């Protein structure tokens, strides 16, 4: 039995990496009017996840 909270044999299947440059490029494409709403939605989603 594992003591680190993970089941034996359970492995990460996918890994997503986004560089700072890619995030900056994507962020610039978001219309400024949408940013406040997206930030609010992200906060709600993060609270649900944690």
């Amino acid at each position: 039995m594992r003591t680190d909270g993970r089941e034996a044999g359970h492995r990460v299947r996918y890994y997503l990496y986004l560089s700072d440059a890619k995030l900056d490029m994507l962020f610039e494409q978001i219309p400024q009017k949408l940013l406040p709403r997206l930030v609010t939605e992200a906060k709600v989603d993060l609270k649900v996840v944690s």
Side-chain angles (χ1 to χ4, degrees):
M1 177 173 213
R2 295 180 71 126
T3 59
D4 61 0
R6 295 183 294 162
E7 294 180 29
H10 185 64
R11 295 188 178 149
V12 175
R13 294 181 66 173
Y14 302 100
Y15 179 79
L16 176 65
Y17 171 78
L18 294 172
S19 68
D20 286 340
K22 179 62 80 173
L23 290 173
D24 289 341
M25 182 201 69
L26 293 170
F27 182 76
E28 291 172 3
Q29 296 179 23
I30 300 172
Q32 295 296 313
K33 288 182 176 181
L34 290 178
L35 287 179
R37 190 174 101 206
L38 293 174
V39 168
T40 302
E41 289 177 14
K43 286 180 184 178
V44 169
D45 289 343
L46 290 176
K47 287 180 182 177
V48 171
V49 172
S50 23

